[in-house]
Amino acid sequence: MTALDTPTGDTTDLRFPSGFRWGTATAAYQIEGAATEDGRTPSIWDTFSRTPGKVHNGDTGDIAADHYHRMSEDVALMRRLGVTDYRFSVAWPRVQPTGRGPAVQKGLDFYRRLVDELLDAGIRPVATLYHWDLPQELENAGGWPERETALRFAEYAAVTADALGDRVRTWTTLNEPWCAAFLGYGNGVHAPGRTSPLDSLRAAHHFNLAHGLAVRALRDALPPASEVSLTLNLHALRPLTQSPADLDAVRRIDAVANRIFLDPVFRGRLPQDLVRDTAAITDWSFVRDGDLAAASAPIDSLGINYYSPTVVAAGRSESPSPWAGAERHVRFLPAPGPRTAMDWPVDADGLYELLTRLRDDLPGVPLMVTENGAAYHDYTDPSGRVHDPERVAYLHGHLTAVHRAIGDGADVRGYFLWSLLDNFEWAHGYSKRFGIVHVDFATQRRTPKDSAGWYAQVIARNAVEGHRNG
Ligand code: IFM
């Protein structure tokens, strides 16, 4: 029990610090639909999802959860949940359809309306600039492996901040650049579907550069009290055994999954072991003088997206892999325990391990859990209810882990549940439901699941239930 906790009979209220930010998160391509409206042009995900065999069932984000037309209803849902914050992403191809030049007002107007409705509902908007929907024209010009894309991103950040900066206080440059670089350009399971280790490393560097240049552009455009952040899906790594070979497997994956972003952004340098590990692929000469200084422009907080841990051992894995050569030295093992519909293990300790690692590695950097949640096989029962006890258990376990990390000194300022709505789950299409609000994609009817009611109570009490002595 910490000083914040309150005993209540057999249970204890695990209280969060006052002012803790309780949010939900979504991303533009996953919920908006309206793929061709108001000047929006195709992004790499429009192209990829139309490519036969790339997305389950041939699903696309053309309509998705139709949030573009149902935004008011969705904000009203959040108002009822009582969330203090909402994390959404801005679709670059709505704002700058060709990836460059002046902003399209109609595209920006949608976000202006969204932000106004959020503020009217007493909900703080948290805007992410890039959640994977690169304008296709920029991919045609080379995409993230090319430096030019980073320069274009900084321009997009500036025009978006000019338009929304008076109302949006918290900004995130990139969401999960690891996925965008390594799943998009390394093993090709995400858009744009390339399978080149070199391209994935080049993309990762240009994401770091893009982030840093965007931080500078945002600082120039935003009022001084604004907060600028970055969201990483850091991998919580565990060795199979404590043998030197298994520990080296952890080191390799930590370098190519975690430190490839953490070191440039927080220390202005590349991990030297990563440079050695990838010497057969590149000499990293695409990193120019000044890039790492630009990448390490100071930020106000770090966002962490966490779903499950990764167990590794010395060995060999399949190719094409997202691991830029590390697959020749590392095998991945299933973590034990129950699994979600994604077949991801449920293991809240991994979140605690990550948050306390960052407490130690990045002292003074406030943290936010910007995504956490689970997909299950949800359905509406004959009475119209959606019972999702497994999701409630997942969320309860993970919030308890966040609370424990805070008690142990991690400076965690907020938690954003993924996701508000069932949505387009990338290569899985609509087959995986992460929402706490069920969406019937045939009718677009929204039905809050039991987990939504549970989360509303957590927010209202600013606490989750713990067990005494438990
Ligand atoms: O749906 C995704 C989200 O877009 C990024 N983080 C992980 C989620 C679940 O896979």
Side-chain angles (χ1 to χ4, degrees), residues 302-341:
L302 175 65
I304 308 300
N305 293 355
Y306 172 82
Y307 292 88
S308 59
T310 306
V311 181
V312 298
R316 228 185 143 79
S317 309
E318 300 277 307
S319 233
S321 104
W323 302 108
E327 69 278 2
R328 289 195 301 275
H329 308 270
V330 178
R331 70 197 161 99
F332 295 83
L333 294 116
R339 308 181 98 70
T340 68

Side-chain angles (χ1 to χ4, degrees), residues 165-322:
D166 57 337
R167 299 160 229 207
V168 177
R169 174 98 173 258
T170 309
W171 292 78
T172 301
T173 54
L174 307 172
N175 179 72
E176 300 186 3
W178 182 84
C179 292
F182 290 93
L183 303 181
Y185 294 92
N187 70 350
V189 305
H190 278 190
R194 286 198 235 168
T195 51
S196 157
L198 175 59
D199 284 350
S200 64
L201 295 171
R202 290 177 62 104
H205 171 63
H206 293 131
F207 275 121
N208 285 331
L209 178 62
H211 158 77
L213 296 176
V215 171
R216 209 154 62 196
L218 290 170
R219 299 271 186 228
D220 287 347
L222 296 173
S226 309
E227 301 163 1
V228 180
S229 176
L230 163 72
T231 279
L232 300 175
N233 59 314
L234 294 175
H235 291 56
L237 296 166
R238 301 205 185 123
L240 180 64
T241 72
Q242 291 298 317
S243 72
D246 287 356
L247 292 174
D248 194 57
V250 167
R251 177 200 62 73
R252 277 182 190 273
I253 300 302
D254 189 47
V256 73
N258 296 336
R259 287 182 284 114
I260 190 170
F261 300 107
L262 291 172
D263 282 12
V265 168
F266 290 99
R267 306 190 199 288
R269 64 178 191 224
L270 279 172
Q272 285 310 298
D273 58 336
L274 174 70
V275 173
R276 277 195 306 276
D277 290 349
T278 54
I281 300 171
T282 178
D283 61 3
W284 291 80
S285 53
F286 50 84
V287 179
R288 297 203 194 152
D289 284 353
D291 283 4
L292 294 165
S296 57
I299 53 178
D300 303 304
S301 66
L302 175 65
I304 308 300
N305 293 355
Y306 172 82
Y307 292 88
S308 59
T310 306
V311 181
V312 298
R316 228 185 143 79
S317 309
E318 300 277 307
S319 233
S321 104

Side-chain angles (χ1 to χ4, degrees), residues 30 131-132 175-176 305 307 342 344 371 418 425-426 434:
Q30 294 181 271
H131 199 125
W132 307 353
N175 179 72
E176 300 186 3
N305 293 355
Y307 292 88
M342 296 292 281
W344 294 347
E371 282 183 30
W418 185 272
E425 177 52 28
W426 308 113
F434 273 90

